[in-house]
């Protein structure tokens, strides 16, 4: 894939997108986007200040009356045009996503970018289909109906693991419902969020509808969440930071949507197709170098299959090709930064004291030594209450534990604070059905793990947060439900008035 644009030229005016224009931040502090595959500088930019956040919110507030008054059809048309622009620029988006994240180009090209285009097309349709209860005379004397109204300026924060898709998940339902938005992407990976906002302008969306502020979480992020003109916050990130976001949002009585950490169980019953489960486990644990909140992290395998599963997964992991993200043959790229790589390595090194590292568990040498690479890692023999089983590692590490009875397997699967995603592997429809009912997670796959679709909701239970991204359910986050009730009787002295004053007529 060729480089169709020079990043430094593309963002020469800065890494803030406010009221339809790129501009430089005014915090006086700079940040460097680094290619994690090489350690080389991609772009150095000025971070946003609180004043920049104020300007972005003000732009969104100005744009809100006209955008919220646009018909659903008009907003739908704008999003259809945006989907077309994204499709035209797909190669640039894939290049930028791989450059800033280290994603293999085949993942950016075949997953991140087409998924975002599909999301955009979905919300173009969903904008015209806001659902509500049918108008009717529920009291007998009145006609009631429900309105779904835009709520105002949304201030959202997206993570670094899927910068393009997470920007889309935040922006699309918000603007499809008639809101305007200020999005803060992660400082590490702002490029595709900025490009998405520029694509929205190319598609004809009015200035101020989509704004991007790229700043530090403790400064720009907290100021955005606490801003008095922001009526809703949607945050995706760690549970620890999500708690802080909730504190700030609660103090200002904002609507809040949180998509937080995960520690997804991968539950393999003894009648499962071993080869399918092993392939599924490798793919689901290594997607995006394991930097995925729904990635398979804990494989619970019923004892008759346990040893064979460990052997086969190790064999498959050892075939995974690490390399240049822009080589189409590369399977696994680097982690997003050397700091993240070292954090993952720390979990594995500590686990050596109480578990077995079956394969991986090392930083590769040679030509990959300069990048933030880490080999696919399989750990066995860890206790259920150990760090490597309970904590979110966010790297290419899978832990395998045995279980005996079906009930024990489901109990172990539920035994973490998280509840974002899970999978169950069985040829028995009743066993699989029990798992889907009893596992406490926002998504449970059967005989697969990872696929997502625009039509279905994504969101968690427990410490994984609340609220839904994607699907028509997301409009429950981004619209205000209003009950409108008309009297049909034209009677001045109504019978119910006697409960307040006077006698029954």
């Amino acid at each position: 894939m060729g480089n169709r644009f020079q990043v430094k030229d593309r963002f020469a005016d800065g890494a803030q997108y406010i009221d339809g224009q790129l501009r430089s931040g005014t915090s006086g502090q700079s940040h460097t986007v680094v290619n994690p595959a090489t350690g080389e500088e991609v772009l150095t930019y000025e971070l946003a200040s609180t004043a920049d956040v104020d300007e972005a919110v003000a732009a969104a507030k100005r744009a809100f009356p006209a955008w919220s008054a646009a018909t659903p059809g008009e907003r739908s048309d704008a999003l259809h045009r945006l989907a077309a622009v994204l499709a035209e620029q797909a190669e640039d988006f894939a290049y930028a996503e791989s450059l800033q994240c280290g994603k293999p180009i085949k993942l950016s090209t075949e997953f991140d970018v087409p998924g975002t285009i599909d999301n955009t097309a979905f919300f173009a349709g969903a904008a015209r289909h806001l659902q509500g209860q049918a108008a009717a005379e529920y009291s007998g004397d009145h006609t009631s109906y429900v309105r779904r109204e835009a709520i105002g300026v949304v201030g959202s924060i997206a993570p670094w693991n899927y910068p393009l898709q997470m920007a889309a998940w935040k922006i699309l339902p918000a603007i499809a419902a008639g809101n305007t938005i200020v999005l803060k992407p992660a400082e590490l990976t702002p490029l595709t969020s900025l490009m998405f906002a520029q694509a929205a302008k190319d598609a004809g969306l009015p200035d101020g509808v989509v704004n991007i502020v790229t700043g530090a979480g403790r400064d720009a992020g907290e100021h955005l969440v606490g801003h008095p003109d922001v009526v809703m916050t949607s945050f995706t990130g760690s549970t620890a930071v999500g708690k802080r976001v909730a504190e700030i949002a609660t103090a200002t009585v904002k609507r809040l949507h949180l998509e937080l950490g995960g520690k997804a169980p991968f539950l393999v019953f003894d009648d499962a197709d071993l080869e399918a489960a092993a392939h599924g486990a490798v793919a689901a644990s290594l997607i995006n170098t394991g930097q995925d909140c729904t990635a398979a992290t804990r494989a619970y395998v019923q004892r008759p299959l346990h040893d064979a599963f460990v052997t086969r997964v190790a064999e498959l992991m050892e075939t995974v090709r690490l390399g240049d993200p822009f080589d189409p043959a590369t399977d696994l790229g680097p982690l997003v930064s050397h700091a993240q790589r070292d954090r993952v390595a720390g979990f594995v090194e500590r686990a050596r004291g109480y578990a077995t590292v079956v394969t991986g568990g090392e930083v590769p040498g040679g030509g990959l030594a300069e990048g933030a690479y880490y080999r696919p890692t399989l750990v066995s023999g860890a206790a259920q209450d150990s760090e490597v089983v309970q904590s979110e590692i966010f790297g290419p590490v899978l832990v395998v534990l045995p279980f005996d009875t079906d009930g024990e397997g489901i109990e172990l699967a539920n035994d973490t604070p998280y509840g974002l995603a899970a999978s169950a592997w069985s040829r028995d429809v009743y066993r699989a059905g029990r798992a889907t009912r009893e596992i406490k997670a926002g998504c449970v796959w059967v005989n697969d793990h990872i696929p997502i679709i625009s039509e279905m909701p994504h969101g968690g239970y427990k410490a994984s947060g609340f609220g839904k991204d994607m699907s028509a359910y997301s409009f429950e986050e981004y619209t205000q439900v209003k009950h409108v009730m008309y009297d049909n009787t034209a009677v001045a002295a109504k019978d119910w008035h006697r409960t307040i004053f006077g006698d029954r007529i």
Side-chain angles (χ1 to χ4, degrees):
M1 173 172 289
N3 178 354
R4 293 178 56 184
F5 66 93
Q6 294 295 323
V7 171
K8 292 179 181 179
D9 293 339
R10 177 73 174 260
F11 300 108
D13 293 330
Q16 317 301 325
Y17 190 83
I18 300 173
D19 206 13
Q21 299 294 326
L22 280 174
R23 63 174 74 176
S24 183
T26 62
S27 69
Q29 298 177 314
S30 63
H31 185 84
T32 299
V33 177
V34 174
N35 177 350
T38 63
E40 295 174 350
E41 175 192 346
V42 173
L43 176 71
T44 297
Y45 65 92
E46 296 297 314
L47 291 166
S49 67
T50 57
D52 296 324
V53 173
D54 290 341
E55 288 193 40
V57 172
K61 187 177 180 180
R62 287 192 300 272
F64 175 73
W67 182 247
S68 61
T71 67
E74 290 168 338
R75 293 197 295 271
S76 175
D77 289 346
L79 290 178
H80 277 300
R81 294 194 301 270
L82 175 56
V85 171
L86 294 173
E88 291 169 3
Q89 299 177 9
E91 185 176 343
D92 284 352
F93 274 97
Y95 169 79
E97 195 77 337
S98 287
L99 186 67
Q100 67 182 351
C101 299
K103 293 174 187 282
I105 195 64
K106 66 179 181 180
L107 183 66
S108 295
T109 301
E110 299 178 30
F111 182 72
D112 296 73
V113 174
T116 300
I117 295 169
D118 185 73
N119 254 229
T120 307
F122 170 80
F123 279 108
R128 305 182 78 149
H129 295 282
L130 295 179
Q131 296 179 346
Q133 198 163 356
E137 289 68 50
Y138 295 99
S139 78
D141 291 336
H142 308 81
T143 297
S144 288
Y145 66 88
V146 169
R147 290 177 56 88
R148 281 194 178 272
E149 298 179 347
I151 58 177
V153 177
V154 178
S156 293
I157 299 176
W160 48 256
N161 58 333
Y162 290 101
L164 175 59
Q165 289 205 81
M166 294 299 98
W169 286 16
K170 302 301 182 196
I171 292 169
L172 291 169
I175 66 175
N179 304 293
T180 55
I181 188 168
V182 179
L183 174 76
K184 192 197 89 66
E187 305 97 297
L188 291 172
T189 55
L191 303 183
T192 46
S193 297
L194 293 163
M195 292 168 63
F196 191 93
Q198 290 176 305
K201 181 168 184 172
D202 293 344
L205 273 75
D207 292 347
V209 172
V210 178
N211 305 274
I212 309 293
V213 290
T214 308
R218 290 190 178 276
D219 300 320
E222 292 198 3
H223 190 67
L224 177 62
V225 173
H227 199 289
D229 289 332
V230 168
V231 298
M232 175 186 167
T233 290
S234 177
F235 170 81
T236 296
S238 71
T239 298
V241 178
K243 291 177 181 178
R244 175 61 180 156
V245 169
E247 289 174 0
I248 299 169
T250 301
T252 50
V253 198
K254 289 183 182 6
R255 184 175 295 196
L256 183 61
H257 168 214
L258 297 174
E259 200 263 271
L260 307 177
K263 191 70 176 175
F266 188 99
L267 187 60
V268 183
F269 294 104
D270 58 15
D271 68 328
D273 182 325
L274 177 62
E275 194 68 8
H279 278 80
V282 173
S285 63
L286 300 185
I287 184 172
N288 202 33
T289 319
Q291 299 166 125
D292 187 313
C293 49
T294 63
T297 59
R298 300 176 289 137
Y300 295 102
V301 184
Q302 208 150 24
R303 206 169 295 274
L305 285 186
H306 177 271
D307 291 352
F309 179 88
V310 170
T311 298
R312 187 60 178 136
V313 169
E315 290 173 350
L316 291 172
M317 279 189 169
E318 288 164 6
T319 69
V320 172
R321 298 163 297 187
L322 280 70
D324 176 3
F326 291 101
D327 183 343
T330 292
D331 297 321
L332 196 74
L335 287 104
V336 74
S337 67
H338 287 78
Q340 180 65 13
R341 190 270 313 275
D342 294 345
R343 179 180 179 275
V344 170
F347 276 100
V348 177
E349 290 308 305
R350 291 189 295 274
R352 292 185 193 276
Y354 55 80
T356 300
V357 177
V358 180
T359 189
E362 62 182 9
V363 174
L368 302 180
E370 296 301 315
Y373 290 90
Y374 196 75
R375 292 199 183 282
T377 300
L378 182 65
V379 177
S380 68
Q384 175 67 11
D385 61 356
S386 62
E387 177 191 52
V388 77
V389 174
Q390 292 293 324
S391 298
E392 188 174 29
I393 298 173
F394 229 56
V397 179
L398 177 65
V399 185
V400 184
L401 298 89
F403 70 92
D404 291 305
T405 67
D406 290 12
E408 179 193 8
I410 292 170
E411 183 179 355
L412 290 169
N414 285 329
D415 184 30
T416 71
Y418 301 107
L420 186 58
S423 63
W425 297 74
S426 173
R427 292 184 173 95
D428 186 325
V429 66
Y430 297 104
R431 286 177 119 176
R434 178 186 177 187
T436 64
R437 292 190 302 273
E438 296 185 12
I439 292 176
K440 305 303 180 186
C443 176
V444 181
W445 293 280
V446 176
N447 295 327
D448 209 343
H449 191 119
I450 284 297
I452 54 175
I453 50 175
S454 297
E455 292 83 358
M456 287 292 143
H458 177 86
Y461 286 25
K462 303 189 293 185
S464 291
F466 49 82
K468 300 299 178 185
D469 288 311
M470 299 196 298
S471 80
Y473 291 97
S474 64
F475 283 121
E476 296 175 6
E477 316 296 326
Y478 293 98
T479 56
Q480 190 74 267
V481 175
K482 178 186 288 184
H483 170 212
V484 178
M485 193 177 206
Y486 281 92
D487 170 60
N488 294 328
T489 67
V491 173
K494 295 179 172 58
D495 186 54
W496 73 266
H497 292 175
R498 70 170 184 85
T499 63
I500 313 302
F501 72 101
D503 299 318
R504 185 184 295 275
I505 299 171

